[in-house]
Structure formats: C-alpha cells, structure tokens
Amino acid sequence: GFCYSRVTHCSHSSLGRRSRAISFIIVVSSSRPQQIVFQGDIDNNVRPFQHIASILFLILLLFNTAPLAEGKAAGAVPAPPDSASIPDALKSPRATIETFLNAMEAVKGGSEDRIEEAISTLDLSEINQLVRTEKGRDIAWTLLEVLNRTRSPDTRKFSTRTEGKPYVFQSYPQGRVAIHFTENQGWRFDQKTVAALPSILDGLSTKESVDSAAPQQQTYLPLSMRIRQALPAGLKAKGFVLEHWQWLGILLIVAVGIMLDKLVSALLQLSVRSWRRRYAKGAFREISDSILRPFGLMAMAATWWTGLNILGLPDDVLLVLLVSVKFLASISGVWGAYRLVDLLDAYLSDRALATENKLDDALVPMVKKIFKVFVTILGLVFIADNLNISVSSLLAGLGLRSEEHTSELQSH
C-alpha cells in the first residue's frame, strides 16, 4: 500500500552523538494502519542492518500488494470459455498419455527441459505454486514408475474423446490412476491420482516393472522414494505429521548445515586474517576478520535447500520450510554482496588517496551507495522470483492503490 516515512533526528547529550529513528506506516487495507519502527545509532555496525531492514519492509509491500493486483485483474475481466485454447497435447486421454510418455522418454534421453511438458499433463492445482516445480518432478517420475509396474501402456487403447467422464487407466486398493477433463484446460491426470501415487507405489513395491529397461528405470525414481524403499518398515511409520525417517532426515540436514556454516566461516575468517597480516595495505588493514561471514550462512542455506528436496515432505510442510530457507538464502546473499561492495570501497578509497584529485574522494562514497542500491534491487528480484511473486501484478497493484487513494483525496 502507500508508504509514508518520517525521519526524526534527535540529539542525546548523554551519548554525545546523534541517533536516528525511522518509522514506516503501512496501509494494508481499509483497516487501521500498522506502524513499524526501526531505531538505531548511525554507525558502521548498524548501517548493513538498515539495508536489510529496508528489504524486509519492501517484502511486506510485495505480499500486501501482489494478491490485490491479481484479485482485481482476475475480477475485472473474466476470461470467456474457449475450447480452442486447449492444446492438442491434452485434447483427449490418448493425447495426454502420449504426451506424458514421449516427454519422459525424452528426459531419460537427456532432454531435461521436456520434464515441463510431462508436468503439464498433471493437475497440480492443489499444490502450492511455491513448491509446485519441486513436487511436480517427483510426481512425474512416480507416475511413470506406477504405470510401468502396472502394465506397459498401450496408447492405442486409450480413448480419443474430447470430453466426458474420466478415463480410468487402473484402479488399486490405495486409489486409481485416471485422466480427467477440465474445461479450458483439457485432459490431465486428476488431483486424486496425484495425491494417491505415493501410496499406490508402496502397494506395488514388491512387483517388478514390466518395462524392458527395468534395471535402468529404478534409477529414475525420486531420491526420496529410493531412500524410503531401502528403509525398514519401522522408520516408515507415520508419527507426528511426518514419518519417522523424515524427522531424522530433517535433524541430520539441520546439523550438517550448521556444522558447514561454522566450518566455512572459520576457514574464511582465518584466510582473511592471514591475508590482511601479510599483504593488506591502506584501508584493507582495517577490514574485519569476519567480513565474509555471510558466505557461511549461504552454505548452510544451500545445504538445507538441497536436503529438504530429497525427503519427500508433504506439500504444506515443504512449503513452510522451503520458503524459510529461500528467504534465508536471499538475505545472506544480499548481505554477502554488501560485504563485497565494502571490499570494493576499500580498494577505491586507497586509489583515491593516492591521487591529488579531490573529485575522486567525492566519487568513491557515491559509487559505494550506487552498488549497494543495485545489490538491493537484485536481492528483491531474487526473492520475488523464488516466492513466485509476479512483478507485473505488483506494479499493477501499486497503480490500483494509487488510483484508490487519489479518488479518496478528491472525494474529501
């Protein structure tokens, strides 16, 4: 919504220095505004956190603006039904199964980009968009394994009708594999099929694949499935929310990430200290040993990000954990980029001091600020991309809110 900022300077005689309080008022709806206050002494230790606080504030605007824009856009011009919008690859149950099987064969042959074509045959509308890509790949390979363990699909026997009731490939005690028709979207493996696939594969775990390349096919299963199949039944039992082996996996991933963070941070600190004592000159002698500390956090976030994707977690659990890890990776990345800008500033400051031109002394702080603003923008774009926030919807939302506010002012 609209942002109003107020900067207040006040002198503290007891401290002998000036502090600054910055208050932001965020209008998230027609209800009462919310106020967030950041306060701190302006020195070198606080400045990096002010940039990070600014990023957090802008993220709040992203979350409060994008949904409004999407809702307004969706409600303003409803899309009329159009059967011609259905792609030929999803025109019938036969077209859907052929599209899926051909795409998966191409992926096994090395065409990784064809996995998106296979995922398009799955109805993933019940899976949150933030984790849809990660879950979609696993579901596609699981479906292929279920088909191969049931019978080799003869596409000539699949129906060619363009509408009507669902086409059922096979029913199992745990559920069924069916292709369902949806208006304006075509024929896709339905939500019930997607939800039942892990249980169906468990029921077929003792049955060999009918695929002629069965020994190779096993390697294409999601890693979480292969790990789970190798575990004893006791660890696969479900406890609180998750299965026992998944809790143990989370504990192990967290421990490995923390240890890696400490190890990387310690190695970087020793390297900076050794380099500074032996080779550093001028402004570089004043840099902190922990200037590269954010890269330890980045290593930890990368470990967690990778590890969470191999545990086969439920959608809601994966959503909470993965979004948190992505946010940590984004913040640590921006923080690390700020530290690299500080190193660039130290280098430019030394070069400026070596010249008699006073213009250099004035340009160096300006260059530092320009790079930090640029890094902040890159960080926001990275966060928006990982959280699937539409930039166009965000800008549209800002425009809509501006128009509403202008109308309110004119009415008064």
Short mmCIF file of all heavy atoms in Angstrom, two decimals, residues 217-267:
data_model
loop_
_atom_site.label_atom_id
_atom_site.label_comp_id
_atom_site.label_asym_id
_atom_site.label_seq_id
_atom_site.Cartn_x
_atom_site.Cartn_y
_atom_site.Cartn_z
N GLN A 217 15.40 -48.31 -15.14
CA GLN A 217 14.27 -47.49 -14.75
C GLN A 217 14.30 -47.14 -13.27
O GLN A 217 13.88 -46.05 -12.87
CB GLN A 217 12.97 -48.23 -15.09
CG GLN A 217 11.71 -47.50 -14.66
CD GLN A 217 11.51 -46.22 -15.42
OE1 GLN A 217 12.02 -46.07 -16.54
NE2 GLN A 217 10.79 -45.28 -14.85
N GLN A 218 14.77 -48.03 -12.43
CA GLN A 218 14.78 -47.79 -10.99
C GLN A 218 15.58 -46.54 -10.64
O GLN A 218 15.26 -45.85 -9.68
CB GLN A 218 15.39 -49.01 -10.28
CG GLN A 218 15.47 -48.90 -8.76
CD GLN A 218 14.11 -48.93 -8.12
OE1 GLN A 218 13.14 -49.36 -8.76
NE2 GLN A 218 14.00 -48.48 -6.88
N THR A 219 16.61 -46.23 -11.41
CA THR A 219 17.44 -45.07 -11.10
C THR A 219 16.72 -43.75 -11.34
O THR A 219 17.18 -42.71 -10.88
CB THR A 219 18.72 -45.09 -11.96
OG1 THR A 219 18.36 -45.00 -13.35
CG2 THR A 219 19.51 -46.36 -11.72
N TYR A 220 15.60 -43.76 -12.05
CA TYR A 220 14.88 -42.52 -12.33
C TYR A 220 13.86 -42.18 -11.26
O TYR A 220 13.24 -41.12 -11.32
CB TYR A 220 14.18 -42.62 -13.69
CG TYR A 220 15.14 -42.62 -14.85
CD1 TYR A 220 15.43 -43.79 -15.54
CD2 TYR A 220 15.77 -41.45 -15.25
CE1 TYR A 220 16.31 -43.79 -16.61
CE2 TYR A 220 16.66 -41.43 -16.31
CZ TYR A 220 16.92 -42.61 -16.98
OH TYR A 220 17.81 -42.62 -18.03
N LEU A 221 13.64 -43.05 -10.32
CA LEU A 221 12.74 -42.73 -9.22
C LEU A 221 13.29 -41.55 -8.42
O LEU A 221 14.50 -41.38 -8.31
CB LEU A 221 12.58 -43.94 -8.29
CG LEU A 221 11.41 -44.89 -8.54
CD1 LEU A 221 11.47 -46.03 -7.53
CD2 LEU A 221 10.08 -44.17 -8.46
N PRO A 222 12.41 -40.71 -7.84
CA PRO A 222 12.90 -39.64 -6.96
C PRO A 222 13.77 -40.22 -5.85
O PRO A 222 13.52 -41.32 -5.34
CB PRO A 222 11.61 -39.03 -6.40
CG PRO A 222 10.56 -39.36 -7.41
CD PRO A 222 10.95 -40.68 -7.99
N LEU A 223 14.82 -39.49 -5.47
CA LEU A 223 15.74 -39.97 -4.45
C LEU A 223 15.02 -40.28 -3.15
O LEU A 223 15.35 -41.25 -2.46
CB LEU A 223 16.83 -38.92 -4.22
CG LEU A 223 17.92 -39.29 -3.20
CD1 LEU A 223 18.63 -40.58 -3.60
CD2 LEU A 223 18.91 -38.14 -3.06
N SER A 224 14.01 -39.48 -2.82
CA SER A 224 13.26 -39.73 -1.59
C SER A 224 12.56 -41.08 -1.63
O SER A 224 12.49 -41.79 -0.62
CB SER A 224 12.22 -38.62 -1.37
OG SER A 224 11.29 -38.56 -2.44
N MET A 225 12.06 -41.47 -2.81
CA MET A 225 11.40 -42.77 -2.96
C MET A 225 12.41 -43.91 -2.82
O MET A 225 12.12 -44.94 -2.17
CB MET A 225 10.71 -42.85 -4.32
CG MET A 225 9.51 -41.94 -4.46
SD MET A 225 8.11 -42.53 -3.48
CE MET A 225 6.88 -41.33 -3.94
N ARG A 226 13.59 -43.74 -3.42
CA ARG A 226 14.59 -44.80 -3.33
C ARG A 226 15.09 -44.96 -1.90
O ARG A 226 15.32 -46.07 -1.42
CB ARG A 226 15.75 -44.48 -4.27
CG ARG A 226 15.45 -44.77 -5.73
CD ARG A 226 16.63 -44.45 -6.61
NE ARG A 226 16.65 -43.03 -6.96
CZ ARG A 226 17.73 -42.38 -7.36
NH1 ARG A 226 18.90 -43.01 -7.41
NH2 ARG A 226 17.66 -41.12 -7.69
N ILE A 227 15.26 -43.83 -1.20
CA ILE A 227 15.68 -43.91 0.21
C ILE A 227 14.61 -44.60 1.03
O ILE A 227 14.90 -45.48 1.85
CB ILE A 227 15.95 -42.49 0.76
CG1 ILE A 227 17.17 -41.88 0.07
CG2 ILE A 227 16.17 -42.53 2.27
CD1 ILE A 227 17.43 -40.44 0.46
N ARG A 228 13.36 -44.22 0.80
CA ARG A 228 12.26 -44.78 1.59
C ARG A 228 12.12 -46.29 1.35
O ARG A 228 11.84 -47.05 2.29
CB ARG A 228 10.96 -44.07 1.23
CG ARG A 228 9.79 -44.38 2.16
CD ARG A 228 8.57 -43.55 1.78
NE ARG A 228 7.50 -43.76 2.74
CZ ARG A 228 6.64 -44.76 2.69
NH1 ARG A 228 6.74 -45.67 1.71
NH2 ARG A 228 5.69 -44.89 3.59
N GLN A 229 12.29 -46.72 0.10
CA GLN A 229 12.15 -48.15 -0.20
C GLN A 229 13.26 -48.98 0.46
O GLN A 229 13.06 -50.16 0.73
CB GLN A 229 12.16 -48.37 -1.71
CG GLN A 229 10.90 -47.88 -2.41
CD GLN A 229 10.93 -48.12 -3.90
OE1 GLN A 229 11.94 -48.53 -4.45
NE2 GLN A 229 9.81 -47.85 -4.57
N ALA A 230 14.40 -48.36 0.72
CA ALA A 230 15.51 -49.09 1.32
C ALA A 230 15.43 -49.13 2.85
O ALA A 230 16.23 -49.83 3.48
CB ALA A 230 16.84 -48.44 0.90
N LEU A 231 14.48 -48.43 3.45
CA LEU A 231 14.39 -48.35 4.91
C LEU A 231 13.50 -49.45 5.47
O LEU A 231 12.58 -49.93 4.79
CB LEU A 231 13.83 -46.98 5.32
CG LEU A 231 14.70 -45.76 4.99
CD1 LEU A 231 13.95 -44.48 5.32
CD2 LEU A 231 16.02 -45.82 5.74
N PRO A 232 13.71 -49.83 6.72
CA PRO A 232 12.83 -50.81 7.36
C PRO A 232 11.45 -50.21 7.62
O PRO A 232 11.28 -48.99 7.66
CB PRO A 232 13.56 -51.13 8.67
CG PRO A 232 14.44 -49.95 8.93
CD PRO A 232 14.84 -49.45 7.58
N ALA A 233 10.48 -51.07 7.81
CA ALA A 233 9.09 -50.63 7.98
C ALA A 233 8.92 -49.72 9.20
O ALA A 233 8.08 -48.82 9.19
CB ALA A 233 8.17 -51.84 8.09
N GLY A 234 9.71 -49.94 10.24
CA GLY A 234 9.56 -49.14 11.45
C GLY A 234 9.83 -47.67 11.23
O GLY A 234 9.15 -46.80 11.80
N LEU A 235 10.81 -47.35 10.39
CA LEU A 235 11.14 -45.95 10.12
C LEU A 235 10.14 -45.30 9.18
O LEU A 235 10.04 -44.07 9.13
CB LEU A 235 12.54 -45.84 9.52
CG LEU A 235 13.71 -46.14 10.47
CD1 LEU A 235 15.03 -46.06 9.72
CD2 LEU A 235 13.70 -45.16 11.64
N LYS A 236 9.38 -46.12 8.44
CA LYS A 236 8.39 -45.56 7.52
C LYS A 236 7.05 -45.32 8.19
O LYS A 236 6.13 -44.78 7.55
CB LYS A 236 8.22 -46.49 6.31
CG LYS A 236 9.46 -46.54 5.42
CD LYS A 236 9.20 -47.29 4.13
CE LYS A 236 9.14 -48.79 4.34
NZ LYS A 236 9.08 -49.52 3.05
N ALA A 237 6.92 -45.70 9.43
CA ALA A 237 5.67 -45.46 10.15
C ALA A 237 5.50 -43.96 10.41
O ALA A 237 6.47 -43.25 10.68
CB ALA A 237 5.68 -46.22 11.48
N LYS A 238 4.27 -43.50 10.33
CA LYS A 238 3.99 -42.08 10.50
C LYS A 238 3.78 -41.74 11.96
O LYS A 238 3.00 -42.39 12.66
CB LYS A 238 2.75 -41.67 9.68
CG LYS A 238 2.52 -40.17 9.64
CD LYS A 238 1.41 -39.81 8.67
CE LYS A 238 1.23 -38.30 8.58
NZ LYS A 238 0.18 -37.92 7.60
N GLY A 239 4.49 -40.73 12.43
CA GLY A 239 4.34 -40.27 13.79
C GLY A 239 3.61 -38.95 13.82
O GLY A 239 2.49 -38.82 13.33
N PHE A 240 4.25 -37.91 14.37
CA PHE A 240 3.67 -36.58 14.43
C PHE A 240 3.89 -35.87 13.10
O PHE A 240 5.01 -35.47 12.78
CB PHE A 240 4.29 -35.78 15.58
CG PHE A 240 3.81 -34.35 15.66
CD1 PHE A 240 2.51 -34.07 16.05
CD2 PHE A 240 4.65 -33.30 15.33
CE1 PHE A 240 2.06 -32.78 16.11
CE2 PHE A 240 4.21 -32.00 15.39
CZ PHE A 240 2.90 -31.73 15.78
N VAL A 241 2.82 -35.78 12.29
CA VAL A 241 2.80 -35.09 11.00
C VAL A 241 3.63 -35.83 9.93
O VAL A 241 3.17 -36.06 8.82
CB VAL A 241 3.30 -33.63 11.11
CG1 VAL A 241 3.25 -32.93 9.74
CG2 VAL A 241 2.48 -32.85 12.14
N LEU A 242 4.87 -36.21 10.26
CA LEU A 242 5.77 -36.83 9.29
C LEU A 242 6.11 -38.26 9.68
O LEU A 242 5.86 -38.68 10.82
CB LEU A 242 7.07 -36.01 9.18
CG LEU A 242 6.94 -34.54 8.82
CD1 LEU A 242 8.32 -33.88 8.85
CD2 LEU A 242 6.28 -34.35 7.47
N GLU A 243 6.70 -38.97 8.74
CA GLU A 243 7.20 -40.31 9.05
C GLU A 243 8.50 -40.19 9.84
O GLU A 243 9.19 -39.17 9.77
CB GLU A 243 7.43 -41.09 7.75
CG GLU A 243 6.15 -41.34 6.97
CD GLU A 243 6.38 -42.06 5.65
OE1 GLU A 243 7.57 -42.30 5.31
OE2 GLU A 243 5.40 -42.39 4.97
N HIS A 244 8.83 -41.25 10.57
CA HIS A 244 9.99 -41.19 11.47
C HIS A 244 11.28 -40.87 10.72
O HIS A 244 12.11 -40.07 11.18
CB HIS A 244 10.14 -42.52 12.22
CG HIS A 244 8.96 -42.84 13.10
ND1 HIS A 244 8.26 -41.87 13.79
CD2 HIS A 244 8.36 -44.03 13.41
CE1 HIS A 244 7.29 -42.43 14.48
NE2 HIS A 244 7.32 -43.74 14.27
N TRP A 245 11.48 -41.48 9.56
CA TRP A 245 12.73 -41.25 8.83
C TRP A 245 12.83 -39.81 8.33
O TRP A 245 13.93 -39.27 8.21
CB TRP A 245 12.84 -42.23 7.66
CG TRP A 245 11.97 -41.92 6.48
CD1 TRP A 245 10.67 -42.27 6.29
CD2 TRP A 245 12.35 -41.18 5.31
NE1 TRP A 245 10.21 -41.81 5.09
CE2 TRP A 245 11.22 -41.14 4.46
CE3 TRP A 245 13.52 -40.58 4.89
CZ2 TRP A 245 11.23 -40.50 3.23
CZ3 TRP A 245 13.54 -39.94 3.66
CH2 TRP A 245 12.42 -39.90 2.84
N GLN A 246 11.69 -39.17 8.06
CA GLN A 246 11.71 -37.78 7.63
C GLN A 246 12.14 -36.85 8.75
O GLN A 246 12.89 -35.89 8.53
CB GLN A 246 10.34 -37.38 7.08
CG GLN A 246 9.99 -38.07 5.76
CD GLN A 246 8.57 -37.79 5.31
OE1 GLN A 246 7.66 -37.68 6.12
NE2 GLN A 246 8.39 -37.68 4.00
N TRP A 247 11.68 -37.13 9.98
CA TRP A 247 12.13 -36.34 11.14
C TRP A 247 13.64 -36.50 11.34
O TRP A 247 14.36 -35.51 11.60
CB TRP A 247 11.38 -36.75 12.40
CG TRP A 247 10.00 -36.18 12.53
CD1 TRP A 247 8.82 -36.86 12.55
CD2 TRP A 247 9.67 -34.79 12.65
NE1 TRP A 247 7.77 -35.99 12.67
CE2 TRP A 247 8.25 -34.71 12.74
CE3 TRP A 247 10.40 -33.61 12.68
CZ2 TRP A 247 7.58 -33.49 12.88
CZ3 TRP A 247 9.73 -32.40 12.82
CH2 TRP A 247 8.35 -32.35 12.91
N LEU A 248 14.11 -37.75 11.22
CA LEU A 248 15.55 -37.98 11.37
C LEU A 248 16.33 -37.28 10.26
O LEU A 248 17.43 -36.74 10.49
CB LEU A 248 15.84 -39.48 11.35
CG LEU A 248 15.31 -40.30 12.54
CD1 LEU A 248 15.56 -41.78 12.32
CD2 LEU A 248 15.97 -39.82 13.83
N GLY A 249 15.76 -37.27 9.05
CA GLY A 249 16.41 -36.59 7.94
C GLY A 249 16.50 -35.09 8.16
O GLY A 249 17.53 -34.47 7.89
N ILE A 250 15.43 -34.48 8.67
CA ILE A 250 15.45 -33.04 8.97
C ILE A 250 16.50 -32.73 10.02
O ILE A 250 17.27 -31.76 9.90
CB ILE A 250 14.06 -32.57 9.42
CG1 ILE A 250 13.06 -32.63 8.26
CG2 ILE A 250 14.12 -31.15 9.98
CD1 ILE A 250 11.65 -32.26 8.63
N LEU A 251 16.56 -33.57 11.07
CA LEU A 251 17.55 -33.37 12.12
C LEU A 251 18.97 -33.45 11.56
O LEU A 251 19.83 -32.61 11.89
CB LEU A 251 17.34 -34.41 13.23
CG LEU A 251 18.33 -34.37 14.40
CD1 LEU A 251 18.21 -33.03 15.14
CD2 LEU A 251 18.07 -35.53 15.36
N LEU A 252 19.22 -34.43 10.70
CA LEU A 252 20.55 -34.59 10.12
C LEU A 252 20.90 -33.41 9.21
O LEU A 252 22.03 -32.90 9.26
CB LEU A 252 20.60 -35.90 9.33
CG LEU A 252 21.91 -36.21 8.61
CD1 LEU A 252 23.05 -36.34 9.61
CD2 LEU A 252 21.78 -37.48 7.77
N ILE A 253 19.95 -32.96 8.39
CA ILE A 253 20.20 -31.85 7.48
C ILE A 253 20.49 -30.57 8.24
O ILE A 253 21.39 -29.80 7.89
CB ILE A 253 19.00 -31.67 6.53
CG1 ILE A 253 18.92 -32.85 5.56
CG2 ILE A 253 19.10 -30.35 5.75
CD1 ILE A 253 17.63 -32.91 4.77
N VAL A 254 19.73 -30.32 9.31
CA VAL A 254 19.96 -29.12 10.13
C VAL A 254 21.36 -29.17 10.74
O VAL A 254 22.10 -28.18 10.73
CB VAL A 254 18.88 -28.99 11.21
CG1 VAL A 254 19.26 -27.91 12.23
CG2 VAL A 254 17.53 -28.66 10.60
N ALA A 255 21.73 -30.33 11.28
CA ALA A 255 23.05 -30.47 11.92
C ALA A 255 24.18 -30.27 10.91
O ALA A 255 25.15 -29.56 11.18
CB ALA A 255 23.16 -31.84 12.59
N VAL A 256 24.05 -30.87 9.72
CA VAL A 256 25.08 -30.73 8.69
C VAL A 256 25.19 -29.28 8.25
O VAL A 256 26.29 -28.74 8.06
CB VAL A 256 24.78 -31.64 7.49
CG1 VAL A 256 25.71 -31.34 6.33
CG2 VAL A 256 24.91 -33.11 7.89
N GLY A 257 24.05 -28.60 8.09
CA GLY A 257 24.06 -27.21 7.67
C GLY A 257 24.75 -26.30 8.67
O GLY A 257 25.55 -25.43 8.30
N ILE A 258 24.45 -26.51 9.96
CA ILE A 258 25.08 -25.68 11.00
C ILE A 258 26.58 -25.93 11.06
O ILE A 258 27.38 -24.99 11.18
CB ILE A 258 24.41 -25.95 12.36
CG1 ILE A 258 22.96 -25.45 12.34
CG2 ILE A 258 25.19 -25.29 13.49
CD1 ILE A 258 22.18 -25.76 13.60
N MET A 259 26.98 -27.20 10.99
CA MET A 259 28.42 -27.50 11.03
C MET A 259 29.13 -26.92 9.81
O MET A 259 30.25 -26.39 9.93
CB MET A 259 28.62 -29.03 11.09
CG MET A 259 28.25 -29.65 12.43
SD MET A 259 28.72 -31.40 12.57
CE MET A 259 27.62 -32.13 11.37
N LEU A 260 28.49 -26.98 8.64
CA LEU A 260 29.10 -26.40 7.45
C LEU A 260 29.23 -24.89 7.57
O LEU A 260 30.23 -24.30 7.15
CB LEU A 260 28.27 -26.76 6.22
CG LEU A 260 28.87 -26.38 4.86
CD1 LEU A 260 30.20 -27.07 4.65
CD2 LEU A 260 27.90 -26.75 3.73
N ASP A 261 28.22 -24.26 8.16
CA ASP A 261 28.28 -22.81 8.39
C ASP A 261 29.48 -22.44 9.27
O ASP A 261 30.25 -21.53 8.95
CB ASP A 261 26.97 -22.35 9.04
CG ASP A 261 27.04 -20.92 9.54
OD1 ASP A 261 27.66 -20.08 8.87
OD2 ASP A 261 26.47 -20.64 10.62
N LYS A 262 29.64 -23.16 10.37
CA LYS A 262 30.76 -22.88 11.28
C LYS A 262 32.11 -23.14 10.60
O LYS A 262 33.06 -22.37 10.76
CB LYS A 262 30.63 -23.74 12.53
CG LYS A 262 29.37 -23.49 13.35
CD LYS A 262 29.31 -22.07 13.85
CE LYS A 262 28.06 -21.85 14.71
NZ LYS A 262 27.94 -20.43 15.16
N LEU A 263 32.18 -24.22 9.83
CA LEU A 263 33.44 -24.58 9.16
C LEU A 263 33.82 -23.54 8.11
O LEU A 263 34.96 -23.06 8.08
CB LEU A 263 33.30 -25.96 8.52
CG LEU A 263 34.52 -26.46 7.73
CD1 LEU A 263 35.74 -26.59 8.64
CD2 LEU A 263 34.21 -27.79 7.05
N VAL A 264 32.86 -23.18 7.24
CA VAL A 264 33.14 -22.20 6.19
C VAL A 264 33.49 -20.84 6.79
O VAL A 264 34.44 -20.18 6.35
CB VAL A 264 31.93 -22.08 5.24
CG1 VAL A 264 32.12 -20.92 4.26
CG2 VAL A 264 31.73 -23.38 4.47
N SER A 265 32.75 -20.44 7.82
CA SER A 265 33.01 -19.15 8.45
C SER A 265 34.41 -19.12 9.08
O SER A 265 35.14 -18.12 8.96
CB SER A 265 31.94 -18.85 9.52
OG SER A 265 30.66 -18.78 8.94
N ALA A 266 34.78 -20.21 9.76
CA ALA A 266 36.09 -20.26 10.41
C ALA A 266 37.22 -20.23 9.37
O ALA A 266 38.22 -19.52 9.54
CB ALA A 266 36.20 -21.51 11.26
N LEU A 267 37.07 -20.98 8.28
CA LEU A 267 38.10 -21.00 7.24
C LEU A 267 38.24 -19.63 6.57
O LEU A 267 39.36 -19.16 6.32
CB LEU A 267 37.77 -22.07 6.20
CG LEU A 267 37.89 -23.52 6.65
CD1 LEU A 267 37.44 -24.47 5.54
CD2 LEU A 267 39.31 -23.85 7.08
#
